[in-house]
């Protein structure tokens, strides 16, 4: 059985940063994530997309943010159970918890921090008869590596930010990009809509609206799609890839059966103090929680993780008094024996 002070469910940015804040308090962390690698959505869904609201980074790719967080917490030697989903939780008589995954791995922790983002994601799939047959054979719901589409013909369907952003990005990668949306109006950012229009005028994007993909063509893999444009006969477009970007449906999964107070697919917490749930010792931080005034931003998750760790310390060590020291003053002592501290000023006597 894996033993730890804080068991973090979810290895996205908020979960990873929790390791750092807990490490400053000398608390050991272990993380569980259903994905095969740390990073959550930043690694799985949009590793190559830039993020603009991380302090001190005017722009950082989501994948690079994950890489930096992993480097930051390396000194605190967190454990990982990856590719497994937290399934059940049992509260022990001493107030600790045993969490078991869908593969039977057991974790014993003094505190549980749920940092599962929006939960597990399932793509919203268009209702096309043979779409399952072509999944991973030319049909993709998530773009992980843009270079995969180098010099290929791509059809993107959707009207939100993701469809617009990837159509723009792939216009410099793919040999041909076609964007199809069932309305003339898009739901994405205005500057993205204007950029798509500009690329259309330059002949770098084929824009077809209002229209829908009605069928996928091919034998062993995708070779084309059938498009139906309002007021016109259906027609075929040759393509190597069909990428329907209709968003993702978040689900809490088994965590929703743990007796936690749930509101609109999110876990209610006490934001006036420490982001604790209705079950003492279980916290929820990041996009998975809800409270009045909640903002689903990575930087808000970082803030919540910091306060949660302070509360967890008091729960684990009720008789100890912790005096917070700024890292600029106290430095950082890693569990691996490393020490980071600011250089001391040298005072020289004047004769």
């Amino acid at each position: 059985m894996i033993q730890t002070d804080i068991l973090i469910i979810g290895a996205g940015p908020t979960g990873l940063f929790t390791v750092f804040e807990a490490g400053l308090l000398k608390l050991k962390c272990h993380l569980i994530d259903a994905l095969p690698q740390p990073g959550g959505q930043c690694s799985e869904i949009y590793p190559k997309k830039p993020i603009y609201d991380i302090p001190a980074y005017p722009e950082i790719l989501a994948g690079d943010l994950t890489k930096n967080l992993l480097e930051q917490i390396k000194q605190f030697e967190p454990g990982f159970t990856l590719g497994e989903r937290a399934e059940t939780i049992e509260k022990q008589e001493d107030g600790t918890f045993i969490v078991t995954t869908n593969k039977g791995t057991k974790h014993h922790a003094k505190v549980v921090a749920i940092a599962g983002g929006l939960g597990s994601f399932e793509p919203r799939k268009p209702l096309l008869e043979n779409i399952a047959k072509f999944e991973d054979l030319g049909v993709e719901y998530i773009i992980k590596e843009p270079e995969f589409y180098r010099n290929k013909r791509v059809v993107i369907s959707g009207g939100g930010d993701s469809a617009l952003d990837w159509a723009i990005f792939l216009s410099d990668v793919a040999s041909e990009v076609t964007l199809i949306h069932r309305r003339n109006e898009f739901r994405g950012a205005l500057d993205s809509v204007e950029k798509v229009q500009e690329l259309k005028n330059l002949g770098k994007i084929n824009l077809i609206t209002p229209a829908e993909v009605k069928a996928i063509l091919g034998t062993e893999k995708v070779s084309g799609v059938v498009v139906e444009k309002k007021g016109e006969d259906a027609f075929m477009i040759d393509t190597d890839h069909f990428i329907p970007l209709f968003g993702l449906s978040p689900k809490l999964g088994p965590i929703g059966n743990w007796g936690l107070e749930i509101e609109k697919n999110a876990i209610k917490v006490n934001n006036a103090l420490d982001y604790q749930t209705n079950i003492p010792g279980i916290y929820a931080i990041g996009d998975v929680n809800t409270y009045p005034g909640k903002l689903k931003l990575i930087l808000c998750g970082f803030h919540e993780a910091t306060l949660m760790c302070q509360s967890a310390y008091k729960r684990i060590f009720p008789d100890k008094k912790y005096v917070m020291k700024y890292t600029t003053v106290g430095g950082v002592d890693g569990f691996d024996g490393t020490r980071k501290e600011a250089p001391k000023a040298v005072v020289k006597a004047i004769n």
Side-chain angles (χ1 to χ4, degrees):
M1 186 179 297
I2 296 168
Q3 303 282 344
T4 190
D5 293 320
I6 301 178
L7 180 65
I8 303 167
I9 299 173
T14 296
L16 295 176
F17 187 68
T18 302
V19 176
F20 179 79
E21 288 298 322
L24 294 179
L25 300 169
K26 306 300 181 188
L27 299 177
K28 194 76 176 174
C29 292
H30 190 93
L31 301 96
I32 299 175
D33 202 295
L35 296 175
Q37 72 283 319
Q41 294 181 59
C42 287
S43 295
E44 183 70 7
I45 300 177
Y46 50 85
K48 300 295 184 180
K49 288 190 72 174
I51 303 173
Y52 300 103
D53 58 357
I54 302 299
Y57 285 99
E59 175 184 332
I60 184 169
L61 295 180
D64 290 340
L65 176 63
T66 297
K67 189 188 306 180
N68 290 354
L69 285 165
L70 287 169
E71 180 64 28
Q72 184 180 29
I73 67 174
K74 183 170 63 176
Q75 60 197 318
F76 295 121
E77 301 179 323
F80 290 92
T81 299
L82 299 174
E84 299 184 31
R85 183 182 65 245
E87 196 81 13
T88 63
I89 189 166
E90 302 170 70
K91 192 165 188 177
Q92 308 302 295
E93 290 185 5
D94 61 357
T96 61
F97 301 89
I98 292 179
V99 174
T100 306
T101 70
N102 61 317
K103 294 186 179 179
T105 308
K106 292 185 177 294
H107 308 75
H108 186 207
K110 298 165 186 174
V111 162
V112 173
I114 302 171
L118 295 174
S120 59
F121 289 89
E122 294 180 6
R124 294 191 178 101
K125 303 179 182 181
L127 299 175
L128 300 176
E129 184 178 348
N130 60 345
I131 192 165
K133 170 186 173 182
F134 291 106
E135 289 173 356
D136 298 323
L137 294 172
V139 170
E140 294 89 34
Y141 304 107
I142 295 171
I143 297 176
K144 296 181 182 178
E145 180 48 67
E147 280 299 315
F148 179 67
Y149 303 96
R150 174 69 64 181
N151 299 325
K152 300 289 181 64
R153 299 166 300 176
V154 175
V155 171
I156 296 174
S157 187
D161 283 314
S162 187
L164 291 165
D165 291 347
W166 281 120
I168 293 168
F169 192 98
L170 292 179
S171 67
D172 287 327
V173 176
S175 61
E176 182 179 290
V177 174
T178 301
L179 177 59
I180 299 171
H181 181 41
R182 61 194 178 98
R183 295 190 179 94
N184 287 319
E185 302 78 21
F186 287 86
R187 301 185 310 276
L190 179 60
D191 59 338
S192 297
V193 176
E194 291 175 347
K195 182 66 175 176
V196 165
Q197 185 63 50
E198 178 187 338
L199 290 170
K200 175 198 172 186
N201 295 339
L202 292 172
K204 298 191 70 175
I205 289 178
N206 302 318
L207 182 61
I208 305 175
T209 64
E212 293 184 74
V213 172
K214 289 297 185 179
I216 304 172
L217 305 174
T219 50
E220 294 183 356
K221 59 175 303 205
V222 172
S223 63
V225 293
V226 175
V227 179
E228 192 174 279
K229 187 173 181 181
K230 191 172 182 180
E232 298 181 11
D233 293 335
F235 57 94
M236 187 190 78
I237 297 176
D238 293 327
T239 190
D240 302 302
H241 297 275
F242 173 49
I243 310 172
L245 297 176
F246 296 157
L248 300 165
S249 299
K251 295 184 178 179
L252 277 178
I255 291 174
N257 301 319
W258 286 6
L260 301 166
E261 193 173 353
I262 307 296
E263 183 179 285
K264 295 181 180 178
N265 207 48
I267 302 170
K268 290 186 71 173
V269 295
N270 171 15
N271 68 305
L273 184 62
D274 54 11
Y275 306 99
Q276 198 158 189
T277 69
N278 59 303
I279 301 178
I282 301 180
Y283 300 79
I285 53 177
D287 288 356
V288 76
N289 74 16
T290 186
Y291 53 83
K294 169 69 180 182
L295 292 176
K296 294 183 182 294
L297 297 172
I298 293 174
L299 59 92
C300 293
F302 291 165
H303 163 77
E304 293 166 9
T306 304
L307 297 188
M308 184 280 295
C309 286
Q310 296 288 322
S311 176
Y313 181 89
K314 293 173 186 174
R315 180 178 176 83
I316 295 170
F317 301 112
D319 300 325
K320 285 187 179 181
K321 185 176 181 180
Y322 174 73
V323 179
M324 191 187 81
K325 295 180 180 178
Y326 298 108
T327 56
T328 50
V329 176
V332 177
D333 290 307
F335 295 170
D336 59 359
T338 59
R339 166 108 183 128
K340 295 178 181 178
E341 60 181 333
K344 300 293 189 294
V346 177
V347 179
K348 297 180 71 174
I350 299 176
N351 297 323

